[in-house]
């Protein structure tokens, strides 16, 4: 259904900042380039990133909004099964 | 308001965290790994040549040859990966401004490393090392670190670009 995550780190600045919250769901998961997703990554654990590319076998390439983010190259292609949910709402600190 | 509500709930129920961490490990880039791999390729080519000079290969020699070739493949891949990461992750516009031939040089290294996989010609490995050295020199330029050349103190005793640190 819905899951709430607390954001840690600044790789998604300016979209998300440390201590913001995101509300995610797998219900609306039809990945599209540009969407924010929470992902269970084999190396970087649970991360929130933006989909930058989708290949012909439905694998996703991710990127952070902050240029200092872990690069797409290092994160590598991920499968749809690794996506915990699409970010539906961002709840930012005022 | 919604944020403060979620913060209170977080204190109570501890929501899972989702990481948006920056580059890990932070800004650690060094062309040394690529240089050592290029040297290793030359060394492996020398060892392959030693086998080539024999009249006949025993089973042990053949096993050794298989191992040398596999290692050569692995180190050529490592050169490509290390250079690609520096070029793709560390180099940004300020570095490209300092190194106008960075794209062409990186591409040349990719091609030359592939040639080292395809051939057993020592000259191919030496050319790869020269290109990687050139890349290393440019890398240290972007760091404001001077370089010098010296012969590697181990086989294959080829010229390597080192940073002048300290």
């Amino acid at each position: 259904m819905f899951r709430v995550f607390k954001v840690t780190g600044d790789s998604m600045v300016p979209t998300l900042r440390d201590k913001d919250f995101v509300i995610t769901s797998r219900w609306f998961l039809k990945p599209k380039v540009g969407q924010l997703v929470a992902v269970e990554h084999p190396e970087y654990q649970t991360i929130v990133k933006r989909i930058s590319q989708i290949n012909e076998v439905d694998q996703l390439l991710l990127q952070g909004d902050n240029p200092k983010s872990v690069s797409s190259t290092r994160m590598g292609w991920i499968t749809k099964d690794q996506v915990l949910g699409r970010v539906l709402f961002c709840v930012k600190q005022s | 308001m919604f944020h403060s509500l979620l913060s209170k709930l977080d204190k109570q129920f501890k929501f899972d965290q989702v990481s948006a961490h920056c580059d890990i490990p932070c800004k650690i880039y060094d062309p040394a790994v690529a240089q050592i791999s290029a040297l290793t390729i030359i060394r492996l080519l020398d060892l392959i040549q030693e086998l080539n000079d024999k009249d006949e290969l025993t089973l042990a020699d053949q096993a050794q040859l298989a191992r040398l070739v596999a290692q050569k493949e692995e180190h050529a891949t490592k050169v490509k990966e290390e250079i690609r990461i520096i070029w793709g992750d560390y180099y940004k516009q300020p570095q490209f401004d300092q190194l106008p031939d960075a794209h062409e040089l990186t591409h040349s290294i990719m091609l030359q490393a592939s040639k080292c996989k395809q051939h057993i010609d020592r000259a191919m490995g030496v050319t790869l090392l020269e290109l990687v050295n050139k890349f290393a020199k440019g890398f240290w330029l972007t760091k404001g670190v001077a370089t010098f050349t010296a012969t590697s103190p181990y086989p294959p005793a080829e010229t390597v670009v080192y940073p002048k640190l300290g």
Side-chain angles (χ1 to χ4, degrees), chain A residues 37-84:
Chain A
V37 282
V39 169
E40 193 61 49
H41 192 278
E43 186 176 352
Y44 299 110
Q45 283 83 47
T46 313
I47 54 174
V48 60
K49 295 286 170 186
R50 193 177 293 284
I51 300 172
S52 64
Q53 277 185 57
I54 302 173
N55 68 16
E56 58 280 4
V57 288
D58 266 356
Q59 290 175 319
L60 314 176
L61 200 60
L62 307 173
Q63 70 176 31
D65 287 0
N66 185 337
K68 289 181 181 169
S69 167
V70 177
S71 69
S72 302
T73 319
R74 285 199 174 172
M75 287 185 278
W77 290 98
I78 61 137
T79 64
K80 232 172 115 175
D81 294 342
Q82 292 171 266
V83 179
L84 300 172

Side-chain angles (χ1 to χ4, degrees), chain B residues 102-123:
Chain B
H103 298 316
E104 197 186 334
L105 177 59
T106 301
H107 188 228
S108 308
I109 293 171
M110 299 299 124
L111 295 177
Q112 192 62 32
S114 293
K115 283 183 187 172
C116 287
K117 289 182 169 202
Q118 293 157 357
H119 300 272
I120 56 166
D121 182 357
R122 188 182 202 277

Side-chain angles (χ1 to χ4, degrees), chain B residues 8 12 28 32 38 40-41 56-57 90 103 111 120 152 159:
Chain B
K8 281 176 190 164
Q12 195 75 20
I28 297 176
T40 305
I41 289 169
E56 204 172 315
L57 293 185
Y90 163 58
H103 298 316
L111 295 177
I120 56 166
S152 64
T159 304

Side-chain angles (χ1 to χ4, degrees), chain A residues 3 6 8 11 46 71 73, chain B residues 3 16 18-20 23 84 89:
Chain A
R3 277 183 79 176
K6 187 179 185 180
T8 61
S11 79
T46 313
S71 69
T73 319
Chain B
H3 187 276
D16 289 334
V18 66
S19 169
D23 214 346
R84 180 173 52 78
D89 293 0

Side-chain angles (χ1 to χ4, degrees), chain A residues 3-11 19 21 23 44 46-49 68-71 73-74 91-93, chain B residues 1-4 6-7 10 15-25 27-29 84-85 88-89 92:
Chain A
R3 277 183 79 176
V4 180
F5 291 98
K6 187 179 185 180
V7 176
T8 61
D10 293 317
S11 79
K19 297 187 179 62
F21 292 96
I23 298 168
Y44 299 110
T46 313
I47 54 174
V48 60
K49 295 286 170 186
K68 289 181 181 169
S69 167
V70 177
S71 69
T73 319
R74 285 199 174 172
V91 183
K92 300 184 177 197
Q93 299 179 76
Chain B
M1 192 178 129
F2 195 29
H3 187 276
S4 61
L6 286 176
S7 292
D10 181 45
F15 292 128
D16 289 334
Q17 293 193 340
V18 66
S19 169
H21 281 297
C22 287
D23 214 346
I24 306 166
K27 298 178 180 174
I28 297 176
Y29 300 106
R84 180 173 52 78
I85 287 172
D89 293 0
K92 297 193 173 60

